[in-house]
Amino acid sequence: MCAEPVARPRRRNRRGFTMVELLIVMLVMGLLAALAIYKFWDFRDNVRVAAVTGDFRSVMVASYSYFADHDTWPPDGNPGVIPPALVNYLPSSADFSKPEYTLEYDNIPIGQGHYIIGVTVSSPRQRLMDQLIRTLGNQHPFFVAGGTLTYVIIASDGSY
């Protein structure tokens, strides 16, 4: 007698992914993309903060150079405009009006021969301003008023 072959279950060749696998992969990729975008924004803000602090330093050196040449501090400027007195002392690429922020050179008399020389930055981006405050910390003199931050170059009583 001949034995009949035993029927084995046939394995189906599976091609592609199930819907659940596809959704899980899409979810993981979405989470990774969200983290990457957040890190990109953080990196971009750090670069802008570095640009602002570099501008602070450039204006500080220019104002001290002006003082050394003229024995007086340069007069005030308008927001977004380089003061004419500082033009020759700043790098040729200097710009006080940038898409992310605006600078203003300030010579603020506070009475009785006292004054503050500083650079004010204003930006509609609160995140940039917060990051700038964190970066400057307590190691650099500055004060915040409204939506602006003034980096103090020198505060003097009028005697040199």
Side-chain angles (χ1 to χ4, degrees):
M1 266 202 205
C2 237
E4 287 196 29
V6 177
R8 285 193 234 167
R10 295 185 90 193
R11 205 191 282 210
R12 289 193 307 163
N13 287 338
R14 205 173 83 158
R15 294 188 179 192
F17 299 102
T18 66
M19 184 60 83
V20 173
E21 292 171 329
L22 187 60
L23 287 174
I24 289 173
V25 168
M26 289 174 54
L27 176 69
V28 169
M29 289 180 66
L31 289 172
L32 291 174
L35 290 173
I37 288 173
Y38 180 75
K39 287 296 181 184
F40 172 75
W41 288 340
D42 199 33
F43 177 72
R44 184 183 61 190
D45 286 340
N46 286 338
V47 168
R48 288 182 180 147
V49 166
V52 171
T53 56
D55 288 343
F56 286 163
R57 299 290 181 194
S58 294
V59 173
M60 181 177 73
V61 169
S63 61
Y64 275 113
S65 297
Y66 182 92
F67 181 81
D69 288 348
H70 299 92
D71 201 31
T72 185
W73 295 102
D76 261 356
N78 293 323
V81 179
I82 297 174
L86 291 179
V87 169
N88 294 332
Y89 297 94
L90 288 169
S92 60
S93 62
D95 186 11
F96 276 30
S97 180
K98 299 188 178 177
E100 300 87 17
Y101 60 92
T102 302
L103 296 175
E104 176 183 5
Y105 174 79
D106 293 310
N107 186 335
I108 307 166
I110 54 176
Q112 299 177 359
H114 300 279
Y115 56 90
I116 296 174
I117 304 296
V119 183
T120 300
V121 62
S122 59
S123 175
R125 298 181 39 115
Q126 187 59 43
R127 184 177 163 97
L128 174 64
M129 297 300 284
D130 293 341
Q131 182 70 20
L132 185 59
I133 290 168
R134 278 193 303 275
T135 300
L136 292 175
N138 59 1
Q139 299 176 359
H140 303 281
F142 69 91
F143 58 91
V144 178
T148 64
L149 179 143
T150 300
Y151 179 79
V152 178
I153 293 173
I154 189 168
S156 174
D157 62 0
S159 61
Y160 304 111

